[in-house]
Amino acid sequence: MVLIRRFEDKCNIAYRQGLVGGYMHVYIGMEATAVGWNAALKPGWDYVITAYRDHAQPLIMGSDPVKVMAEIMGRSGGYSFGKGGSMHIYDIENCFFGGWGIVGGHTPLGAGLAFAAKYRKEDRVTICYLGDGASNAGVFFESLNMAALWDLPVIFIIENNEFAMGTRLEYHAADTQLYKRGEPFGIKSERLDGMDVLQVKADAERIVNWVRENQKPYLVEVMNYRFAGHGAADNDRQLYRTKEEEDENTKRDPIARLEKYLTENNLMTAEKMEAINVEIEERVEAIYEEAVNSPHPEPHEVYAHVYSDMEPEKGH
Amino acid sequence: MPTQELSYRDALRMALVEEIDRDQNVFVMGEDIGRYQGTFRVTEGLFQKYNVEQNDWRIIDTPIVEPGFTGIAIGAAMTGLRPVVEMMTMSFSILALDQIINHAAKIHYMTGGQSTVPMVIRGPGGAAKQLSAQHSHSLEGWYAHCPGLKVVAPATPQDAYSMFKQAVRDDNPVIFTENPGLYTIKGEVTTGPDVLQPFGKAQVLREGKDLSLVAYSRMVHVCLEVADRLAEEGISAEVVDVRSLLPLDTETIYQSVRKTNRAIVVYEDWKSGGFGAEIASRISEDCFDDLDAPVGRVGGLNVPMPYSRVLELECIPNADDVMAAVRKLG
Ligand SMILES: Cc1ncc(C[n+]2csc(CCOP(=O)(O)OP(=O)(O)O)c2C)c(N)n1
Ligand SMILES: [Mg+2]
């Protein structure tokens, strides 16, 4: 969680330095969700897919953080050689399937990954993360129906961080109990906490095991909160939430919470925690240095990867 | 009539406000357009003005469901309401293509004229800055391919204002595309209740005699820059702003070509099969005898928009690319 936090802080700095452009959405405040859930997965075997708030998952799943940051900076050392950017990180080898910019658009793909596992009679589980805003998308309901119809081993995790960009949950969802969206399809559905990493991990293990054994879909609404703006370009948080509300929610900080737990139970000394923090900060500095020194792509690379076996027509 | 300097964005907003005030049937739907003031701030202040102060339901924040709210707007339009639908970016209108093409565009025809669909679908279309492959589409060519829709792409604050008012008053579904690079450009705008720009009229923004540069939306400004550069070399280029794709004013384009005998069509969309190809082919068909050279075309590279700024700039046509095409004409 600390690595994600510091990595995202650094991305914000890089954005302000003009090293990152376009839309960039950080995961600050939500770390416990991805960390807890991914801890229940079999590395290199189970599949993960998410939307554009996608820096954290690859860091957890064993991707090279330099390649992640280089991609965010649009450098040729990135996972997609600078073609994807912050919203489109993919590390297929490590079973991370991105990285998608169209709200809700990736949810059937998540079901499709699970379909493939079932088709091949493999016991892979797929986690498909989506936002509260995305949970209104028609294509998500279509995906739920087919996942239930065909018993696909997919866990849809609605990360309810209370906002879809600048729109508060109650202004976009008729029923704000989003976990109920699985019920009409007979999908087992629960609302769970997403801020207490130990609890998240315990819930995740229970549910991932259930899905693996029963080969059926599951829907979880995870309650978390994004501390930062919607994206790096969102400087107007006061338009949709108050400072008091933010302060209240920062008290739920998953990192501070874990630190408190470790201290109270004498599991780790303050010195040790500080040492870890320092080590991670240095590590993130090194990641940044390496990423920023990766070259920009060469102009001719623009034509590569449009097709797997040919180049498109060239020129203006 | 009053004239004032306005940005493209402010001109649009002013037209929108005037139309909402003029006609109780006009309302606006879209994502984050109300409380959040709109991602590109075109609807800034309007939620406060209408929904809060006037307690009227004119600015409607929707869930992120383009097919759903576009369909709701179409249904409402069939009863005579006049919805203005904002696409946060035109790229997201792809999700609503079924509603727009299978439904809105064909309703008047299928009902034998019993029903009309007086609605506007507007939003930023084209590349902004590093928004990558899923957020940078120029879709006007797709829409202009479809009978039943009208498609406009104004390049100046004046046209943003007067074509928008026209769009709201049109009884057909209108696709109104705004290149994100245009929002901050400024210009003199004549305003007034009936300052309307009828569709299907191109305009000559700069007169010339040696060559016609034909474009719409932001590419018009690229062409104006090229015309400046050519002037320094003693070449006089005429710039034709097409501004309305469907209906298309071929006459103004042809007149220009008949005068200059050379034409280059410039568009940001993927070069292959984009709307510029349609314009070029019309010129070739109808002005063959007037042409001293084949019609030139400059379009966007035929690749998904990459994130890297270096690569993105490769993709979007610029003045150098147009200059190269001019040289090629000889
Ligand atoms: C189809 C589509 N419409 C609109 C957008 C613009 N957009 C990007 S993120 C977002 C909000 C999504 O909120 P949520 O699903 O709750 O995810 P969160 O950002 O909170 O993680 C919107 C409206 C988009 N990317 N795709
Ligand atoms: Mg959200």
Side-chain angles (χ1 to χ4, degrees):
Chain A
M1 289 197 289
V2 179
L3 174 67
I4 297 169
R5 180 74 56 94
R6 293 287 92 81
F7 185 94
E8 297 288 50
D9 283 342
K10 201 68 196 177
C11 288
N12 273 331
I13 290 169
Y15 190 92
R16 284 196 295 273
Q17 290 172 328
L19 294 168
V20 179
Y23 292 146
M24 183 186 83
H25 315 78
V26 296
Y27 203 62
I28 293 175
M30 297 162 70
E31 296 92 343
T33 302
V35 169
W37 276 93
N38 286 29
L41 296 181
K42 285 191 196 165
W45 179 248
D46 292 334
Y47 294 145
V48 173
I49 185 167
T50 188
Y52 44 81
R53 202 177 291 288
D54 63 349
H55 303 173
Q57 278 82 5
L59 295 184
I60 303 164
M61 293 175 70
S63 304
D64 178 350
V66 173
K67 287 173 79 172
V68 176
M69 198 175 278
E71 187 58 41
I72 295 167
M73 294 178 177
R75 305 304 173 102
S76 59
Y79 272 103
S80 307
F81 310 101
K83 286 183 172 135
S86 162
M87 295 194 288
H88 307 297
I89 311 274
Y90 306 85
D91 178 4
I92 308 283
E93 205 179 306
N94 278 303
C95 296
F96 179 57
F97 282 81
W100 302 89
I102 298 301
V103 168
H106 69 288
T107 55
L109 277 57
L113 299 173
F115 177 93
K118 180 166 183 120
Y119 186 89
R120 296 200 179 95
K121 300 189 169 59
E122 296 168 344
D123 75 340
R124 296 181 206 255
V125 170
T126 297
I127 291 188
C128 176
Y129 294 91
L130 62 146
D132 49 289
S135 77
N136 294 315
V139 73
F140 175 53
F141 289 89
E142 296 169 22
S143 307
L144 288 174
N145 181 46
M146 285 182 280
L149 181 67
W150 295 327
D151 289 331
L152 305 180
V154 56
I155 305 169
F156 290 106
I157 300 182
I158 302 175
E159 294 189 79
N160 183 351
N161 59 11
E162 298 178 34
F163 297 92
M165 206 174 238
T167 300
R168 188 181 283 279
L169 180 62
E170 56 260 41
Y171 296 134
H172 73 66
D175 186 344
T176 55
Q177 293 176 298
L178 301 177
Y179 70 95
K180 288 189 179 165
R181 287 171 189 216
E183 290 176 352
F185 305 99
I187 296 177
K188 273 174 83 95
S189 304
E190 291 180 48
R191 174 182 268 190
L192 296 169
D193 166 70
M195 300 300 261
D196 175 353
V197 72
L198 298 175
Q199 182 61 47
V200 174
K201 179 166 178 281
D203 288 331
E205 280 165 353
R206 170 174 60 84
I207 291 170
V208 169
N209 288 339
W210 188 91
V211 170
R212 208 183 302 280
E213 263 165 40
N214 292 278
Q215 290 290 303
K216 279 188 191 325
Y218 215 103
L219 185 143
V220 187
E221 177 187 12
V222 165
M223 309 304 281
N224 62 21
Y225 199 83
R226 71 167 151 77
F227 292 175
H230 167 71
D234 168 18
N235 298 313
D236 299 299
R237 304 208 297 277
Q238 79 289 350
L239 289 174
Y240 56 87
R241 65 193 198 192
T242 62
K243 180 87 179 59
E244 294 72 54
E245 184 181 340
E246 287 192 350
D247 291 345
E248 202 46 47
N249 275 289
T250 1
K251 290 188 194 142
R252 296 162 71 197
D253 186 343
I255 295 177
R257 184 173 186 146
L258 182 64
E259 286 175 348
K260 186 157 168 270
Y261 173 86
L262 293 173
T263 310
E264 282 175 1
N265 292 283
N266 293 319
L267 293 168
M268 199 185 273
T269 61
E271 292 74 44
K272 175 75 183 162
M273 275 188 255
E274 187 46 32
I276 292 176
N277 276 328
V278 170
E279 186 198 313
I280 288 181
E281 247 163 63
E282 286 168 0
R283 199 168 146 216
V284 169
E285 276 315 311
I287 293 167
Y288 171 90
E289 281 307 322
E290 212 178 317
V292 84
N293 283 315
S294 169
H296 289 281
E298 293 291 328
H300 67 85
E301 290 176 44
V302 76
Y303 295 110
H305 307 119
V306 179
Y307 297 97
S308 61
D309 58 354
M310 61 176 245
E311 289 202 327
E313 268 183 69
K314 294 192 179 174
H316 287 285
Chain B
M1 262 174 294
T3 295
Q4 57 187 300
E5 187 178 70
L6 289 174
S7 70
Y8 190 97
R9 182 197 335 263
D10 291 344
L12 262 179
R13 187 185 311 110
M14 192 166 179
L16 180 58
V17 166
E18 287 175 13
E19 291 308 295
I20 295 174
D21 288 340
R22 184 187 58 81
D23 183 351
Q24 182 60 37
N25 290 322
V26 177
F27 66 95
V28 194
M29 287 184 115
E31 295 155 10
D32 285 305
I33 62 164
R35 297 172 184 86
Y36 194 62
Q37 316 294 319
T39 358
F40 286 88
R41 296 291 184 261
V42 172
T43 53
E44 188 168 24
L46 304 196
F47 185 83
Q48 178 66 21
K49 177 173 157 110
Y50 294 105
N51 296 41
V52 180
E53 284 159 25
Q54 302 181 11
N55 195 24
D56 202 355
W57 203 31
R58 304 296 281 278
I59 309 295
I60 299 163
D61 276 325
T62 67
I64 311 166
V65 291
E66 290 79 5
F69 66 73
T70 304
I72 286 185
I74 297 169
M78 288 180 75
T79 75
L81 292 184
R82 307 187 88 84
V84 174
V85 170
E86 172 172 309
M87 292 292 165
M88 192 179 272
T89 85
M90 277 295 178
S91 290
F92 307 146
S93 74
I94 294 176
L95 282 77
L97 273 186
D98 173 57
Q99 291 299 329
I100 300 170
I101 293 187
N102 255 335
H103 296 84
K106 305 190 165 71
I107 288 171
H108 191 62
Y109 196 75
M110 292 193 302
T111 62
Q114 295 177 69
S115 188
T116 56
V117 185
M119 71 186 286
V120 184
I121 298 173
R122 57 150 288 272
K129 217 173 158 185
Q130 290 193 272
L131 302 190
S132 331
Q134 296 189 311
H135 286 65
S136 307
H137 295 94
S138 300
L139 300 173
E140 63 282 351
W142 293 18
Y143 290 118
H145 179 61
C146 176
L149 300 176
K150 295 189 182 180
V151 183
V152 297
T156 63
Q158 178 68 64
D159 281 343
Y161 176 86
S162 36
M163 293 181 87
F164 186 75
K165 290 175 74 109
Q166 179 75 26
V168 173
R169 298 185 198 191
D170 200 294
D171 279 338
N172 301 279
V174 177
I175 307 291
F176 190 100
T177 179
E178 306 149 14
N179 189 290
L182 293 175
Y183 286 126
T184 53
I185 65 157
K186 293 200 163 152
E188 284 298 314
V189 180
T190 303
T191 61
D194 294 310
V195 177
L196 305 173
Q197 176 53 53
F199 297 162
K201 295 243 177 307
Q203 64 180 334
V204 175
L205 279 187
R206 178 181 172 125
E207 301 223 9
K209 54 181 185 17
D210 300 329
L211 159 80
S212 300
L213 298 170
V214 183
Y216 54 86
S217 196
R218 196 178 70 80
M219 287 300 132
V220 168
H221 300 275
V222 171
C223 290
L224 288 169
E225 185 189 334
V226 170
D228 280 342
R229 278 164 65 172
L230 289 173
E232 285 167 23
E233 299 178 15
I235 300 170
S236 147
E238 179 147 304
V239 177
V240 183
D241 174 8
V242 174
R243 67 182 167 174
S244 166
L245 280 56
L246 181 59
L248 179 67
D249 172 12
T250 46
E251 212 29 60
T252 301
I253 299 170
Y254 295 170
Q255 264 171 24
S256 176
V257 175
R258 284 183 191 125
K259 180 169 74 172
T260 64
N261 311 115
R262 281 184 162 71
I264 294 176
V265 185
V266 185
Y267 52 110
E268 182 181 314
D269 191 6
W270 291 308
K271 182 176 182 186
S272 181
F275 193 74
E278 174 71 22
I279 301 175
S281 111
R282 303 265 193 126
I283 299 172
S284 305
E285 270 176 19
D286 295 332
C287 304
F288 187 74
D289 292 335
D290 302 293
L291 287 167
D292 288 344
V295 180
R297 260 199 301 154
V298 179
L301 295 190
N302 291 314
V303 304
M305 194 59 79
Y307 166 79
S308 145
R309 186 66 177 153
V310 179
L311 298 186
E312 183 179 50
L313 288 173
E314 278 299 304
C315 292
I316 307 169
N318 60 27
D320 290 338
D321 301 321
V322 181
M323 288 295 283
V326 174
R327 307 263 184 258
K328 221 174 100 187
L329 278 196

